[in-house]
Amino acid sequence: MKCFVTGGTGFVGANLIRLLVSQGYTVKALVRPHSCLDNLTGLEVETVTATLNDEALAQQLRGCQVLFHVAAHYSLWRRDGEALYQSNVLGTRNILAAARAAGIERTVYTSSVAAIGVPADGHIADETYQSPPEKLIGAYKKSKYWAEQEAHKASDQGQDIVIVNPSTPIGPWDIKPTPTGEIILRFLRRQMPAYLDTGLNLIDVRDVAQGHLQALHRGKTGHRYILGNQNLSLQDILHILADLTGLPAPRYAVPFWIPLIAAWIDEYVLAALGKSPTVPVSGVQMARQNMFYCSDRAIQTLGLPQTPIRQALADAVTWFQTHGYVPASGPTKGIGA
């Protein structure tokens, strides 16, 4: 079986391609012009350089049976709203149309829990929940919602599409890195004197990759599956990292109004004066909510693995250390424990 993969140079996509190659699938990967190809080094993968909005994508997809549409533009900056819409919404519309024209048999579309949102009453969300799009915080979450609607529309029109919604992946090959990878790096670099009182659903990125493959074989057309594992407060995550590394965890939580004011000044005032902002307002606003999710449907229907989060965090630390993101300070405590 030949698979066409978008987003293969990124975190989830690189782990998915590694899994597909190890399982004997033939992989053709879409890479954008000027993309960093380090995550594909050494892999037997055919690459094609194009964008999601390329008019000739159908030609590139021909000969493949499966499409994994993993690629998405990620940004929390207010200035990037149009770019997010062009890539995530219109790009998804275009590649799904190209898949239909090319005769792709089944598509696995990578959405996100960002498209689902968070219940206002604090309940843990599953696939049946949906925040109204106007309640989603920031242009990124809204773009992922509208992109997922493109997948539903195409499915309603007869395309065989399964939707997966990863929560917060952690693990190896976080080359950029992701915002959660940045949290781990700031901890390792001793750049986190305090923390925000928020929460995330974490999952090993390799389990996310396996969830994609299981969705290909077991997923029901038109259904979505949350690919997640454990709900943890940020404080709990930092304590696990402290236990793994021997580094001290920050002891104090920062009131939300402090980073919110700093982000507002950064993005709305300093950016207008020509300075590069460093803290997006929408990122701080998101952190006011515990982003907790239930993955029972994916576990029961797809057989989604649930690697212990402690192990995933340990592997992320080791990967960052061995790839030069932080100095390796001897063996990491607790790996395999």
Side-chain angles (χ1 to χ4, degrees), residues 182 276 300:
E182 287 282 5
S276 297
Q300 295 164 9

Side-chain angles (χ1 to χ4, degrees), residues 154-199:
S155 176
D156 291 342
Q157 293 169 3
Q159 279 185 260
D160 187 356
I161 300 174
V162 181
I163 299 166
V164 292
N165 300 71
S167 58
T168 306
I170 49 172
W173 305 106
D174 191 0
I175 192 170
K176 192 167 278 187
T178 61
T180 313
E182 287 282 5
I183 290 174
I184 296 172
L185 285 176
R186 288 202 302 272
F187 176 87
L188 295 175
R189 293 167 178 165
R190 308 297 299 277
Q191 296 172 343
M192 188 178 286
Y195 62 91
L196 285 172
D197 186 13
T198 188

Side-chain angles (χ1 to χ4, degrees), residues 179-258:
T180 313
E182 287 282 5
I183 290 174
I184 296 172
L185 285 176
R186 288 202 302 272
F187 176 87
L188 295 175
R189 293 167 178 165
R190 308 297 299 277
Q191 296 172 343
M192 188 178 286
Y195 62 91
L196 285 172
D197 186 13
T198 188
L200 300 166
N201 181 286
L202 299 188
I203 181 171
D204 191 309
V205 68
R206 293 157 294 192
D207 291 350
V208 173
Q210 187 66 49
H212 280 69
L213 188 55
Q214 297 296 85
L216 172 66
H217 295 294
R218 300 185 187 181
K220 187 173 180 179
T221 299
H223 280 217
R224 64 181 179 182
Y225 300 88
I226 293 175
L227 306 183
N229 186 339
Q230 189 174 359
N231 294 312
L232 290 166
S233 69
L234 179 55
Q235 184 182 28
D236 289 337
I237 295 167
L238 295 173
H239 279 301
I240 295 172
L241 288 170
D243 188 50
L244 288 169
T245 63
L247 298 173
R251 297 176 58 188
Y252 303 106
V254 176
F256 275 101
W257 64 267
I258 295 178

